[in-house]
Amino acid sequence: MADTVTKPRTKVRTKVERPRLHKVILVNDDYTPREFVVTVLKGEFRMTDDQAYKVMITAHRLGVCVVAVFTKDVAETKATRATDAGRAKGYPLLFTTEPEE
Ligand code: TYC
């Protein structure tokens, strides 16, 4: 036959990758009261008193502590809100974000 139809021997597979998660990181400073850090962690990240205290004291001792992981948008929004809560009180409290490896 003249019009031979050849089936493609390869299939196009669209790779769907899970969105990378982003860490919210609490950074220590010398001025923000411990109790205030705990309050912000509880309010913005829905932690118990115990969880919030452990995260705060880890950042206090080591310099930083991972608070939680979220999609990029959620991580950035929460980090900004939590940082702003400190700024509203005149504290240098800082939450940053970075992508998980
Ligand atoms: N280092 C602060 C103090 O001694 C408390 C503190 C802990 C501040 C963790 C920020 O991310 C922080 N008052």
Side-chain angles (χ1 to χ4, degrees):
M1 225 211 292
D3 304 310
T4 307
V5 178
T6 312
K7 266 192 177 175
R9 284 186 292 120
T10 56
K11 273 190 182 165
V12 176
R13 283 190 198 273
T14 309
K15 208 170 187 181
V16 180
E17 302 209 337
R18 247 181 295 128
R20 275 217 288 179
L21 292 175
H22 289 242
K23 297 182 272 196
V24 173
I25 296 161
L26 170 63
V27 182
N28 185 40
D29 67 72
D30 291 338
Y31 305 100
T32 309
R34 293 179 181 200
E35 195 45 56
F36 183 76
V37 179
V38 169
T39 302
V40 170
L41 287 168
K42 286 165 67 180
E44 189 60 44
F45 300 95
R46 301 176 152 278
M47 292 182 161
T48 64
D49 230 320
D50 223 51
Q51 291 169 327
Y53 183 82
K54 281 177 180 158
V55 168
M56 179 282 294
I57 208 68
T58 301
H60 176 74
R61 288 177 179 152
L62 304 180
V64 289
C65 183
V66 175
V67 179
V69 293
F70 303 98
T71 54
K72 186 171 193 283
D73 264 21
V74 174
E76 284 172 355
T77 301
K78 284 185 179 287
T80 300
R81 285 172 49 106
T83 298
D84 286 350
R87 183 172 304 169
K89 295 263 186 184
Y91 299 135
L93 182 63
L94 178 64
F95 290 80
T96 60
T97 65
E98 64 174 64
E100 270 201 328
E101 301 80 40

XYZ file of all heavy atoms in Angstrom:
815
model
N 0.833 -1.209 0.000
C 0.000 0.000 0.000
C 0.865 1.257 0.000
O 1.892 1.307 0.669
C -0.845 -0.017 1.287
C -2.293 0.348 0.991
S -3.083 1.174 2.321
C -3.197 -0.077 3.567
N 0.429 2.288 -0.715
C 1.229 3.507 -0.810
C 1.184 4.320 0.489
O 2.201 4.812 0.955
C 0.735 4.373 -1.958
N -0.023 4.445 1.066
C -0.134 5.287 2.264
C -0.055 4.441 3.541
O -1.048 4.177 4.180
C -1.449 6.072 2.250
C -1.564 6.887 0.985
O -0.599 7.601 0.684
O -2.610 6.800 0.308
N 1.142 4.040 3.824
C 1.328 3.257 5.048
C 1.358 4.188 6.253
O 2.073 5.190 6.256
C 2.652 2.475 4.991
O 2.662 1.736 3.783
C 2.781 1.535 6.181
N 0.575 3.868 7.251
C 0.560 4.679 8.469
C 1.429 3.987 9.518
O 1.211 2.821 9.837
C -0.872 4.865 9.020
C -0.852 5.671 10.313
C -1.732 5.541 7.965
N 2.449 4.704 9.919
C 3.342 4.147 10.927
C 2.998 4.726 12.293
O 2.955 5.936 12.463
C 4.815 4.483 10.595
O 5.033 4.180 9.227
C 5.764 3.679 11.463
N 2.748 3.841 13.225
C 2.442 4.303 14.587
C 3.715 4.790 15.259
O 4.759 4.149 15.136
C 1.884 3.148 15.419
C 0.377 3.058 15.432
C -0.034 2.069 16.512
C -1.535 1.972 16.641
N -1.897 0.926 17.612
N 3.637 5.902 15.953
C 4.840 6.343 16.682
C 5.220 5.293 17.737
O 4.355 4.696 18.374
C 4.416 7.652 17.346
C 2.934 7.674 17.306
C 2.501 6.786 16.179
N 6.538 5.040 17.831
C 6.977 4.011 18.781
C 7.305 4.575 20.169
O 7.661 3.873 21.070
C 8.188 3.277 18.199
C 7.763 2.296 17.107
C 8.929 1.449 16.622
N 9.905 2.256 15.894
C 11.170 2.399 16.250
N 11.619 1.811 17.327
N 11.998 3.121 15.529
N 7.186 5.883 20.254
C 7.411 6.466 21.585
C 6.149 7.179 22.038
O 5.393 7.700 21.225
C 8.565 7.494 21.562
O 8.259 8.478 20.574
C 9.892 6.829 21.250
N 5.931 7.143 23.305
C 4.771 7.846 23.878
C 5.257 9.111 24.561
O 6.303 9.114 25.208
C 4.081 6.959 24.919
C 3.048 6.030 24.308
C 2.235 5.367 25.401
C 1.242 4.402 24.759
N 0.689 3.487 25.770
N 4.498 10.162 24.393
C 4.838 11.401 25.094
C 4.263 11.312 26.501
O 3.059 11.143 26.683
C 4.255 12.637 24.361
C 4.530 13.902 25.160
C 4.818 12.726 22.967
N 5.133 11.337 27.449
C 4.660 11.327 28.851
C 4.916 12.693 29.463
O 6.057 13.137 29.546
C 5.416 10.282 29.656
C 4.937 8.872 29.392
C 5.574 7.938 30.421
N 5.485 6.565 29.969
C 4.420 5.799 30.209
N 3.423 6.278 30.892
N 4.399 4.558 29.771
N 3.853 13.325 29.886
C 4.007 14.609 30.560
C 4.304 14.318 32.029
O 3.526 13.664 32.702
C 2.725 15.442 30.445
O 2.352 15.487 29.080
C 2.940 16.850 30.965
N 5.459 14.773 32.465
C 5.860 14.503 33.843
C 5.225 15.532 34.760
O 5.441 16.721 34.612
C 7.383 14.572 33.943
C 7.930 13.701 35.054
C 9.437 13.618 34.959
C 9.983 12.613 35.945
N 11.454 12.562 35.851
N 4.434 15.062 35.677
C 3.818 15.966 36.647
C 4.588 15.842 37.950
O 4.621 14.784 38.559
C 2.339 15.613 36.872
C 1.713 16.555 37.894
C 1.582 15.685 35.561
N 5.240 16.931 38.338
C 6.032 16.886 39.558
C 5.289 17.556 40.700
O 4.604 18.540 40.497
C 7.373 17.581 39.320
C 8.123 16.935 38.173
C 9.621 17.047 38.323
O 10.074 17.951 39.035
O 10.329 16.210 37.735
N 5.426 16.974 41.867
C 4.837 17.583 43.046
C 5.486 18.940 43.277
O 6.704 19.074 43.119
C 5.088 16.705 44.271
C 3.816 16.097 44.830
C 4.097 15.255 46.047
N 4.910 14.102 45.736
C 6.036 13.801 46.391
N 6.476 14.577 47.347
N 6.708 12.721 46.079
N 4.712 19.975 43.640
C 5.337 21.282 43.899
C 6.299 21.169 45.071
O 6.016 20.454 46.037
C 4.156 22.191 44.251
C 3.030 21.295 44.575
C 3.264 19.996 43.867
N 7.440 21.820 44.940
C 8.410 21.791 46.034
C 7.855 22.520 47.245
O 7.233 23.569 47.113
C 9.714 22.458 45.589
C 10.611 21.486 44.870
C 12.060 21.748 45.221
N 12.521 22.975 44.582
C 13.758 23.455 44.745
N 14.618 22.829 45.512
N 14.130 24.559 44.141
N 8.110 21.991 48.406
C 7.648 22.649 49.627
C 8.711 23.631 50.100
O 9.889 23.470 49.798
C 7.353 21.610 50.697
C 6.160 20.709 50.395
C 6.009 19.628 51.442
C 4.876 21.519 50.270
N 8.239 24.648 50.816
C 9.152 25.670 51.334
C 9.117 25.694 52.852
O 8.055 25.620 53.456
C 8.780 27.045 50.762
C 9.117 27.163 49.302
N 10.013 28.082 48.822
C 8.690 26.454 48.242
C 10.136 27.945 47.516
N 9.344 26.963 47.134
N 10.304 25.806 53.433
C 10.407 25.844 54.894
C 10.188 27.268 55.388
O 10.655 28.217 54.757
C 11.819 25.420 55.330
C 12.161 24.010 54.953
C 13.533 23.637 55.441
C 14.601 24.004 54.439
N 15.895 23.343 54.661
N 9.503 27.389 56.502
C 9.466 28.672 57.218
C 10.470 28.536 58.355
O 10.432 27.562 59.113
C 8.069 28.982 57.783
C 8.116 30.227 58.666
C 7.066 29.171 56.646
N 11.391 29.485 58.416
C 12.472 29.428 59.400
C 12.388 30.601 60.370
O 12.269 31.759 59.951
C 13.837 29.423 58.671
C 13.941 28.149 57.827
C 14.996 29.513 59.670
C 14.981 28.224 56.742
N 12.446 30.275 61.646
C 12.463 31.300 62.693
C 13.916 31.652 63.008
O 14.744 30.762 63.233
C 11.773 30.746 63.949
C 11.890 31.578 65.225
C 11.227 32.942 65.067
C 11.273 30.809 66.401
N 14.221 32.945 62.988
C 15.589 33.421 63.232
C 15.669 34.076 64.619
O 14.808 34.881 64.979
C 16.006 34.447 62.138
C 17.443 34.918 62.358
C 15.830 33.837 60.745
N 16.679 33.714 65.362
C 16.844 34.289 66.706
C 17.285 35.759 66.648
O 17.866 36.203 65.653
C 17.898 33.494 67.487
C 18.009 33.966 68.924
O 17.004 34.262 69.561
N 19.230 34.041 69.437
N 16.941 36.495 67.686
C 17.487 37.845 67.879
C 17.588 38.077 69.374
O 17.135 37.245 70.166
C 16.584 38.896 67.209
C 15.241 39.006 67.891
O 15.177 39.546 69.011
O 14.227 38.533 67.323
N 18.212 39.191 69.778
C 18.460 39.432 71.204
C 17.359 40.252 71.883
O 17.456 40.520 73.080
C 19.787 40.181 71.384
C 20.991 39.313 71.030
O 20.844 38.069 71.056
O 22.054 39.885 70.729
N 16.356 40.664 71.148
C 15.403 41.630 71.691
C 13.967 41.149 71.857
O 13.269 41.597 72.765
C 15.408 42.897 70.819
C 16.788 43.487 70.684
C 17.560 43.264 69.541
C 17.345 44.221 71.735
C 18.848 43.782 69.425
C 18.622 44.750 71.640
C 19.378 44.518 70.477
O 20.641 45.029 70.390
N 13.506 40.297 70.955
C 12.105 39.871 71.035
C 11.903 38.987 72.276
O 12.634 38.015 72.455
C 11.698 39.086 69.769
O 12.067 39.845 68.618
C 10.194 38.825 69.751
N 10.920 39.313 73.117
C 10.690 38.472 74.303
C 10.278 37.048 73.905
O 9.530 36.854 72.950
C 9.532 39.192 75.020
C 9.518 40.575 74.478
C 10.023 40.475 73.069
N 10.789 36.087 74.662
C 10.480 34.678 74.381
C 8.981 34.437 74.313
O 8.495 33.705 73.441
C 11.052 33.791 75.486
C 12.556 33.765 75.536
C 12.962 32.864 76.680
N 14.411 32.816 76.815
C 15.054 31.835 77.454
N 14.384 30.859 78.030
N 16.353 31.844 77.529
N 8.270 35.013 75.288
C 6.830 34.792 75.383
C 6.116 35.308 74.129
O 5.154 34.699 73.665
C 6.283 35.486 76.645
C 4.908 35.044 77.037
C 4.737 33.515 76.977
O 5.513 32.786 77.631
O 3.822 33.065 76.255
N 6.623 36.415 73.579
C 5.998 36.954 72.367
C 6.229 36.021 71.171
O 5.330 35.802 70.355
C 6.548 38.360 72.052
C 5.878 38.981 70.866
C 4.607 39.508 70.956
C 6.526 39.004 69.618
C 3.974 40.054 69.850
C 5.901 39.558 68.508
C 4.628 40.085 68.626
N 7.429 35.455 71.076
C 7.729 34.509 69.984
C 6.767 33.321 70.062
O 6.198 32.886 69.061
C 9.192 34.023 70.050
C 9.484 33.035 68.921
C 10.160 35.205 69.984
N 6.554 32.830 71.280
C 5.642 31.690 71.486
C 4.220 32.064 71.052
O 3.533 31.289 70.368
C 5.673 31.229 72.968
C 4.559 30.232 73.257
C 7.032 30.625 73.303
N 3.790 33.261 71.423
C 2.443 33.724 71.059
C 2.266 33.793 69.543
O 1.243 33.360 69.002
C 2.171 35.119 71.681
O 2.313 35.012 73.097
C 0.777 35.615 71.350
N 3.282 34.308 68.842
C 3.201 34.421 67.376
C 3.175 33.022 66.742
O 2.386 32.756 65.832
C 4.388 35.251 66.823
C 4.446 35.176 65.305
C 4.265 36.702 67.274
N 4.018 32.131 67.238
C 4.048 30.769 66.693
C 2.691 30.082 66.867
O 2.196 29.412 65.957
C 5.141 29.944 67.380
C 6.580 30.294 66.988
C 7.569 29.619 67.934
C 6.876 29.895 65.544
N 2.078 30.267 68.022
C 0.773 29.655 68.279
C -0.305 30.255 67.381
O -1.140 29.537 66.826
C 0.381 29.838 69.746
C 1.159 28.929 70.679
C 1.039 29.344 72.130
C -0.367 29.167 72.684
N -0.449 29.592 74.099
N -0.252 31.568 67.225
C -1.282 32.259 66.451
C -1.181 32.021 64.959
O -2.185 31.759 64.286
N 0.036 32.088 64.438
C 0.201 32.001 62.980
C 0.374 30.567 62.480
O 0.024 30.264 61.348
C 1.400 32.869 62.554
C 1.532 33.041 61.059
C 0.298 33.707 60.441
O -0.225 34.699 61.014
O -0.155 33.227 59.391
N 0.922 29.703 63.335
C 1.220 28.347 62.867
C 0.422 27.276 63.601
O 0.735 26.090 63.487
C 2.732 28.089 62.974
C 3.536 29.048 62.136
C 4.060 30.203 62.692
C 3.724 28.814 60.777
C 4.783 31.109 61.916
C 4.439 29.709 59.998
C 4.972 30.861 60.566
N -0.567 27.684 64.343
C -1.486 26.763 65.040
C -0.749 25.699 65.846
O -1.035 24.503 65.755
C -2.427 26.085 64.012
C -3.251 27.091 63.232
C -4.104 26.445 62.175
N -5.296 27.214 61.907
C -6.413 27.170 62.638
N -6.479 26.399 63.701
N -7.442 27.914 62.318
N 0.227 26.154 66.603
C 0.978 25.220 67.448
C 0.415 25.236 68.866
O -0.161 26.227 69.295
C 2.441 25.652 67.525
C 3.175 25.503 66.232
S 4.882 25.999 66.474
C 5.595 25.194 65.061
N 0.667 24.139 69.575
C 0.328 24.109 70.999
C 1.410 24.910 71.728
O 2.462 25.210 71.159
C 0.324 22.672 71.539
O 1.655 22.149 71.440
C -0.646 21.792 70.754
N 1.136 25.200 72.992
C 2.093 25.906 73.835
C 3.438 25.181 73.831
O 4.506 25.789 73.697
C 1.549 25.927 75.264
C 1.590 27.324 75.850
O 2.578 28.036 75.605
O 0.636 27.698 76.547
N 3.344 23.864 73.975
C 4.528 23.009 74.050
C 5.353 23.031 72.764
O 6.578 23.189 72.798
C 4.038 21.584 74.291
C 4.865 20.887 75.324
O 5.048 21.485 76.408
O 5.344 19.780 75.020
N 4.679 22.864 71.647
C 5.358 22.877 70.346
C 6.013 24.234 70.115
O 7.171 24.318 69.687
C 4.346 22.629 69.215
C 3.763 21.242 69.179
C 2.588 21.149 68.206
O 1.829 22.107 68.018
N 2.441 19.996 67.582
N 5.265 25.303 70.385
C 5.769 26.657 70.156
C 6.983 26.938 71.038
O 7.978 27.522 70.590
C 4.665 27.681 70.412
N 6.921 26.497 72.283
C 8.053 26.724 73.189
C 9.299 26.006 72.672
O 10.401 26.569 72.674
C 7.725 26.265 74.618
C 8.857 26.569 75.566
C 9.003 27.843 76.112
C 9.825 25.605 75.860
C 10.070 28.149 76.941
C 10.903 25.894 76.686
C 11.015 27.173 77.224
O 12.086 27.480 78.029
N 9.126 24.767 72.212
C 10.272 23.989 71.717
C 10.919 24.632 70.493
O 12.149 24.665 70.370
C 9.842 22.551 71.390
C 9.719 21.699 72.636
C 9.231 20.294 72.331
C 9.124 19.486 73.623
N 8.201 18.343 73.487
N 10.098 25.143 69.588
C 10.619 25.805 68.391
C 11.346 27.095 68.790
O 12.460 27.372 68.336
C 9.483 26.093 67.375
C 9.951 27.037 66.274
C 8.986 24.779 66.762
N 10.721 27.878 69.691
C 11.324 29.143 70.125
C 12.686 28.893 70.791
O 13.677 29.554 70.475
C 10.360 29.855 71.097
C 10.858 31.177 71.652
S 12.060 31.008 72.991
C 11.044 30.259 74.258
N 12.732 27.903 71.701
C 13.962 27.678 72.463
C 15.062 27.091 71.562
O 16.254 27.341 71.775
C 13.691 26.807 73.729
C 14.713 27.146 74.808
C 13.678 25.320 73.437
C 14.587 28.516 75.410
N 14.664 26.359 70.537
C 15.648 25.829 69.579
C 16.279 26.964 68.786
O 17.505 27.027 68.627
C 14.998 24.795 68.636
O 14.468 23.725 69.423
C 16.015 24.230 67.652
N 15.443 27.901 68.317
C 15.974 29.063 67.591
C 16.851 29.900 68.524
O 17.921 30.380 68.132
C 14.835 29.906 67.031
N 16.400 30.050 69.761
C 17.155 30.828 70.754
C 18.549 30.227 70.976
O 19.537 30.950 71.070
C 16.365 30.847 72.069
C 17.065 31.528 73.201
N 17.188 32.905 73.278
C 17.690 31.031 74.302
C 17.859 33.209 74.385
N 18.182 32.092 75.020
N 18.626 28.909 71.035
C 19.911 28.243 71.328
C 20.792 28.062 70.101
O 22.013 28.198 70.181
C 19.655 26.866 71.948
C 19.137 26.975 73.370
C 18.811 25.605 73.933
N 18.329 25.722 75.305
C 17.493 24.848 75.889
N 17.060 23.809 75.220
N 17.107 25.040 77.117
N 20.166 27.719 68.970
C 20.965 27.380 67.779
C 21.034 28.506 66.750
O 21.836 28.443 65.827
C 20.400 26.121 67.101
C 20.289 24.861 67.977
C 19.717 23.708 67.166
C 21.657 24.482 68.559
N 20.155 29.495 66.890
C 20.161 30.613 65.934
C 18.997 30.585 64.972
O 18.491 31.618 64.567
N 18.586 29.391 64.574
C 17.434 29.236 63.667
C 16.693 27.946 64.019
O 17.264 27.054 64.645
C 17.854 29.153 62.173
C 18.346 30.470 61.654
C 18.884 28.052 61.959
N 15.429 27.889 63.594
C 14.679 26.635 63.729
C 13.628 26.567 62.628
O 12.967 27.571 62.342
C 13.995 26.550 65.093
S 13.122 24.988 65.353
N 13.510 25.420 61.990
C 12.445 25.228 60.988
C 11.115 25.133 61.737
O 10.968 24.337 62.664
C 12.684 23.950 60.152
C 11.502 23.716 59.202
C 13.981 24.052 59.376
N 10.186 25.979 61.330
C 8.873 26.010 61.980
C 7.949 24.966 61.356
O 7.326 24.177 62.050
C 8.243 27.418 61.851
C 6.873 27.449 62.497
C 9.152 28.482 62.444
N 7.878 24.963 60.014
C 6.990 24.054 59.288
C 7.281 24.170 57.797
O 8.048 25.050 57.385
C 5.532 24.414 59.559
N 6.688 23.289 56.994
C 6.809 23.394 55.534
C 5.424 23.544 54.917
O 4.448 22.957 55.392
C 7.541 22.189 54.896
C 8.995 22.157 55.300
C 6.848 20.888 55.231
N 5.382 24.358 53.860
C 4.135 24.656 53.158
C 4.445 24.819 51.675
O 5.610 24.861 51.286
C 3.530 25.983 53.650
C 3.262 26.054 55.124
C 4.170 26.681 55.973
C 2.116 25.513 55.662
C 3.929 26.762 57.342
C 1.857 25.591 57.026
C 2.762 26.212 57.867
N 3.413 24.972 50.870
C 3.633 25.397 49.487
C 4.232 26.810 49.539
O 4.094 27.504 50.552
C 2.312 25.433 48.699
O 1.381 26.242 49.400
C 1.743 24.026 48.507
N 4.878 27.223 48.455
C 5.609 28.497 48.427
C 4.751 29.680 48.894
O 5.153 30.442 49.773
C 6.128 28.744 47.004
C 7.035 29.951 46.863
C 7.662 29.956 45.476
C 8.817 30.938 45.370
N 8.377 32.329 45.243
N 3.573 29.792 48.316
C 2.671 30.903 48.638
C 2.320 30.954 50.109
O 2.373 32.023 50.731
C 1.357 30.741 47.848
C 1.379 31.537 46.574
O 2.495 31.866 46.126
O 0.288 31.840 46.044
N 1.934 29.811 50.641
C 1.514 29.757 52.044
C 2.701 30.058 52.960
O 2.579 30.820 53.927
C 0.877 28.388 52.382
C 0.576 28.276 53.868
C -0.403 28.192 51.573
N 3.873 29.497 52.643
C 5.071 29.738 53.461
C 5.399 31.231 53.484
O 5.655 31.802 54.550
C 6.255 28.937 52.908
N 5.370 31.864 52.321
C 5.725 33.285 52.249
C 4.704 34.157 52.972
O 5.060 35.116 53.663
C 5.875 33.714 50.781
C 7.198 33.213 50.200
C 7.336 33.419 48.701
O 6.361 33.872 48.059
O 8.427 33.110 48.176
N 3.432 33.820 52.811
C 2.380 34.599 53.478
C 2.514 34.495 54.994
O 2.453 35.502 55.709
C 0.983 34.104 53.037
O 0.883 34.253 51.624
C -0.123 34.896 53.702
N 2.714 33.287 55.482
C 2.819 33.090 56.934
C 4.074 33.750 57.502
O 4.032 34.356 58.574
C 2.789 31.596 57.267
C 1.391 31.002 57.179
C 1.380 29.573 57.623
C -0.011 28.974 57.574
N -0.877 29.489 58.660
N 5.191 33.631 56.783
C 6.438 34.247 57.251
C 6.283 35.767 57.317
O 6.737 36.406 58.277
C 7.595 33.864 56.328
N 5.631 36.340 56.320
C 5.425 37.795 56.294
C 4.504 38.239 57.430
O 4.799 39.202 58.144
C 4.818 38.227 54.938
O 5.730 37.836 53.910
C 4.604 39.722 54.880
N 3.410 37.513 57.611
C 2.460 37.869 58.678
C 3.114 37.782 60.053
O 2.913 38.645 60.908
C 1.241 36.944 58.628
C 0.265 37.270 57.485
C -0.802 36.199 57.389
N -1.395 35.924 58.684
C -2.625 36.310 59.058
N -3.370 36.989 58.217
N -3.077 36.021 60.254
N 3.890 36.721 60.264
C 4.534 36.517 61.571
C 5.603 37.585 61.817
O 5.732 38.111 62.931
C 5.131 35.114 61.639
N 6.360 37.926 60.773
C 7.377 38.974 60.891
C 6.712 40.326 61.166
O 7.172 41.102 62.009
C 8.235 39.042 59.610
O 8.901 37.785 59.452
C 9.268 40.152 59.681
N 5.610 40.582 60.482
C 4.874 41.845 60.667
C 4.298 41.969 62.082
O 4.206 43.083 62.625
C 3.748 41.976 59.638
C 4.287 42.305 58.246
O 5.495 42.620 58.136
O 3.499 42.244 57.279
N 3.903 40.838 62.664
C 3.366 40.854 64.038
C 4.440 41.373 64.997
O 4.136 42.134 65.926
C 2.909 39.456 64.446
N 5.684 40.980 64.780
C 6.783 41.470 65.602
C 7.049 42.938 65.333
O 7.196 43.742 66.267
N 7.087 43.300 64.080
C 7.365 44.692 63.694
C 6.332 45.644 64.284
O 6.668 46.756 64.721
C 7.390 44.818 62.164
C 7.743 46.228 61.699
C 7.951 46.287 60.208
N 8.977 45.347 59.767
C 9.215 45.035 58.512
N 8.515 45.595 57.543
N 10.158 44.191 58.190
N 5.071 45.202 64.318
C 3.992 46.032 64.877
C 4.254 46.376 66.340
O 3.769 47.385 66.858
C 2.654 45.314 64.727
N 5.027 45.524 67.023
C 5.370 45.759 68.436
C 6.771 46.360 68.576
O 7.282 46.517 69.687
C 5.328 44.436 69.204
C 3.948 43.828 69.287
C 3.306 44.202 70.596
C 1.979 43.481 70.773
N 1.317 43.928 72.011
N 7.409 46.617 67.459
C 8.748 47.198 67.494
C 9.860 46.172 67.695
O 10.982 46.537 68.033
N 9.562 44.899 67.490
C 10.568 43.847 67.654
C 11.188 43.453 66.309
O 10.510 43.486 65.277
C 9.942 42.594 68.283
C 9.369 42.823 69.661
C 8.108 42.319 69.994
C 10.077 43.532 70.626
C 7.571 42.530 71.258
C 9.545 43.740 71.888
C 8.283 43.236 72.197
O 7.756 43.441 73.439
N 12.465 43.021 66.342
C 13.131 42.622 65.080
C 12.884 41.161 64.706
O 13.634 40.587 63.919
C 14.614 42.853 65.417
C 14.707 42.577 66.870
C 13.393 43.001 67.481
N 11.852 40.561 65.267
C 11.523 39.148 65.012
C 11.481 38.880 63.500
O 10.867 39.636 62.743
C 10.157 38.833 65.633
C 9.656 37.395 65.520
C 10.575 36.432 66.257
C 8.232 37.297 66.065
N 12.147 37.785 63.086
C 12.238 37.494 61.649
C 11.926 36.044 61.324
O 12.477 35.122 61.936
C 13.657 37.845 61.142
C 13.931 37.557 59.674
C 13.061 38.406 58.753
C 15.417 37.774 59.362
N 11.036 35.876 60.359
C 10.754 34.566 59.780
C 11.148 34.634 58.303
O 10.773 35.578 57.609
C 9.260 34.236 59.873
C 8.774 33.959 61.271
C 8.498 35.016 62.143
C 8.584 32.663 61.720
C 8.043 34.771 63.437
C 8.129 32.405 63.007
C 7.861 33.459 63.869
N 11.927 33.648 57.852
C 12.313 33.616 56.437
C 11.765 32.327 55.817
O 11.246 31.465 56.530
C 13.850 33.622 56.286
O 14.378 32.478 56.929
C 14.459 34.872 56.880
N 11.919 32.193 54.497
C 11.506 30.952 53.821
C 12.616 30.482 52.911
O 13.415 31.289 52.426
C 10.238 31.164 52.953
O 10.537 32.053 51.886
C 9.071 31.702 53.771
N 12.685 29.186 52.697
C 13.592 28.651 51.673
C 13.052 27.325 51.153
O 12.375 26.603 51.885
C 15.022 28.486 52.214
C 15.194 27.500 53.333
C 16.672 27.301 53.701
O 17.302 28.272 54.151
O 17.168 26.186 53.526
N 13.304 27.036 49.876
C 12.802 25.795 49.299
C 13.464 24.575 49.922
O 14.648 24.628 50.251
C 13.135 25.912 47.814
C 14.178 26.964 47.720
C 14.031 27.850 48.892
N 12.696 23.524 50.078
C 13.270 22.250 50.534
C 14.053 21.640 49.396
O 13.659 21.758 48.239
C 12.129 21.290 50.897
C 11.690 21.375 52.328
C 10.959 20.116 52.747
O 10.290 19.513 51.916
O 11.050 19.755 53.915
N 15.138 20.957 49.743
C 15.963 20.299 48.709
C 15.149 19.208 48.013
O 14.391 18.510 48.631
C 17.219 19.676 49.312
C 18.125 20.682 50.025
C 17.646 21.019 51.421
O 17.198 20.106 52.139
O 17.707 22.210 51.772
N 16.587 35.424 72.101
C 15.350 36.059 72.554
C 15.508 36.471 74.012
O 16.402 36.003 74.701
C 14.146 35.130 72.394
C 13.966 34.719 70.979
C 13.900 33.370 70.655
C 13.853 35.674 69.957
C 13.739 32.961 69.328
C 13.693 35.263 68.638
O 13.494 33.536 67.059
C 13.647 33.912 68.334
N 14.610 37.310 74.488
